[in-house]
Every structure is written in structure tokens, then in C-alpha cells.
């Protein structure tokens, strides 16, 4: 419809995929509950960022997403909020110990930033978040994961594998997966299989791990 096109044009947003949810221009339209809306407001956010306006309703509709927007545009919250809602929608939260939401990040710095961002919103639901990455004690991370389990886990791939091998956690309950900074992640090794230009390789890989994804990009990045 015309209004949707106009909103996307104003945000320099490009969207592809079938049956894509409409963008929401305010937090009130996301369908979030009071608890989450209150924390968002408490953090002084007055309006969703461009990527949030489109990615949140698409994620809330249960679709896979390939999201591309420049650094600092609020991509973390764009996946954390729908992840929290998804977890709260699970009926049998008590069963199992491994995470329901799993976020892979290419570096420890990024994993720790995502952890901080996730924690500030997860608190309102009493959900537990943990982060695992190299350069820190495996034993401490093991202990953090073991007792009682967690609902959200952020980590670098290598350390996540270590934790699974140590039986500190498992991925049996994971039903919401995020590959943050996927371009850098694939750069760590797996992209060697592909031959075209770098962004193309990332696009191909991203399409392999998603099902009928909605692709959302803001500005000319990754066009
Ligand atoms: P990206 O992952 O796209 O680089 P981040 O998720 O790290 O960006 O967000 C950058 C900053 O913007 C963070 O400090 C975050 O708390 C803040 N932020 C996220 N969403 C909003 C919003 N809707 N309004 C204001 N600030 C926001
Ligand atoms: Mg980010």
C-alpha cells in the first residue's frame, strides 16, 4: 500500500520477500507488553530506528530475516526484542537447561556488547542471559551455564563449541538463532567455499541458513 511504500522510501529502506509485515513507526504498534515497553521508555528511546521499524514486525510474524543496516543503527535491539517475546511465548519454559535464544558473534568484544544489551531488556522478564567467548576462563563460563540453565546465550563460535563439548550447555531448545555481523562471521572460515565477491558470498550463505528470508536493508550498504 502507498503509505508503506512512502515510509520505506523515507527511510531509504529496501525490502524483498513475499508477504512481508508492514513497518511500524512507533513502539506502541509492535505488540509488545507493558513490561518491555516500560524498559524501552526507561532507556530513553523515543522511536524505533529504521531497521527496527521493519525488522521487528517481520520477526514477530515468525519470518527469517537477513538484515543489513550500518553500525549504530540499533540492530541488536531489533533481534533481542522479538527474541524475548518468542521466549516468553514458550509454554514450558521450565523444561531443559540450554538456551532458547542463541546469538553467534564473531568477536568477544561484540559478544560482550550484545550480552549487555540483552541483559538490560531481559531483566524485565526475569530471563537469564549468559555470554561465552575466548580469552576468559572456561571454568567460570562453565559454572555460569550449569546451575539452573539460561534462556539466552551469546557467544563466539569456538567457545560455544567448547561449552557444548564440556556439557555445560546444549542447543536442543534453540528455536531463535541470530548470526550477528554475519559477514565477519563467515570471514572466520566457512566462506572459503565460495568464489564470488565477498558480499555475494555472504548473501549466498545467509540464504542457505534461512528459509524464505525477508531481506531488509537500509541505505546503500550491501546493495
Ligand atoms: P548496531 O548493532 O546496528 O551497530 P547497536 O545495536 O549496537 O547498533 O545500537 C547502537 C546504540 O543505539 C546502542 O547504544 C543502543 O542502545 C542504541 N539504540 C538502539 N535502539 C535505539 C532506539 N530505538 N532509540 C535510541 N537508541 C537506540
Ligand atoms: Mg551490532
Amino acid at each position: 500500500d502507498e503509505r508503506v511504500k512512502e515510509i520505506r522510501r523515507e527511510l531509504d529502506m529496501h525490502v524483498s520477500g513475499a508477504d512481508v509485515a508492514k513497518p511500524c513507526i512507533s513502539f506502541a504498534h509492535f505488540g509488545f507488553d507493558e513490561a518491555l515497553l516500560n524498559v524501552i521508555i526507561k532507556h530513553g528511546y523515543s522511536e524505533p530506528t529504521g531497521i527496527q521499524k521493519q525488522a521487528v514486525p517481520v520477526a514477530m510474524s515468525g519470518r527469517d530475516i537477513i538484515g543489513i543496516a550500518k553500525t549504530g543503527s540499533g540492530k541488536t535491539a531489533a533481534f533481542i526484542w522479538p527474541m524475548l517475546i518468542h521466549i516468553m511465548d514458550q509454554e514450558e519454559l521450565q523444561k531443559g537447561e540450554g538456551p532458547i535464544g542463541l546469538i553467534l558473534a564473531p568477536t568477544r568484544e561484540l559478544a560482550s556488547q550484545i550480552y549487555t544489551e540483552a541483559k538490560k531488556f531481559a531483566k524485565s522478564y526475569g530471563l537469564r542471559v549468559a555470554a561465552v567467548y575466548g580469552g576468559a576462563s572456561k571454568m567460570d563460563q562453565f559454572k555460569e551455564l550449569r546451575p539452573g540453565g539460561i534462556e539466552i546465550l551469546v557467544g563466539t563460535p569456538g567457545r560455544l563449541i567448547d561449552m557444548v563439548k564440556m556439557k555445560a550447555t546444549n542447543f536442543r531448545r534453540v528455536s531463535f538463532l541470530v548470526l550477528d555481523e554475519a559477514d565477519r562471521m563467515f570471514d572466520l572460515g566457512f566462506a572459503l567455499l565460495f568464489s564470488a565477491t565477498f558480499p555475494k558470498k555472504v548473501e549466498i550463505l545467509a540464504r542457505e541458513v534461512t528459509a524464505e528470508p525477508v531481506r531488509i536493508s537500509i541505505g546503500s550498504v550491501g546493495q
Side-chain angles (χ1 to χ4, degrees), residues 114-127:
I114 298 166
Y115 170 75
T116 307
E117 186 86 350
K119 265 206 102 121
K120 69 186 191 192
F121 296 111
K123 249 193 334 211
S124 56
Y125 292 118
L127 294 177

Side-chain angles (χ1 to χ4, degrees), residues 27 30 40 43-52 69-79 81 110 113-114 117 120-121 180-181:
F27 288 119
F30 280 161
I40 291 172
H43 280 93
Y45 297 2
S46 51
E47 197 190 329
T49 64
I51 188 79
Q52 291 165 0
K70 66 172 195 274
T71 302
S73 57
K75 294 189 291 294
T76 318
F79 60 73
W81 296 331
L110 185 61
Q113 281 166 26
I114 298 166
E117 186 86 350
K120 69 186 191 192
F121 296 111
D180 198 18
E181 305 214 356

Side-chain angles (χ1 to χ4, degrees), residues 91-111:
E91 279 172 18
E92 298 181 49
L93 250 188
Q94 311 312 323
K95 287 188 181 168
E97 297 203 332
I100 298 169
L102 177 65
I103 304 151
L104 270 65
T107 65
R108 76 188 74 154
E109 291 76 19
L110 185 61

Side-chain angles (χ1 to χ4, degrees), residues 31-44:
F32 292 168
D33 54 48
E34 252 354 59
L36 185 53
L37 285 176
N38 285 339
V39 212
I40 291 172
I41 290 160
K42 213 184 74 197
H43 280 93

Side-chain angles (χ1 to χ4, degrees), residues 3-13 25:
R3 180 75 189 119
V4 167
K5 278 188 199 152
E6 190 185 316
I7 292 168
R8 288 177 181 154
R9 196 164 44 233
E10 277 168 11
L11 294 167
D12 196 14
M13 181 192 293
I25 55 168

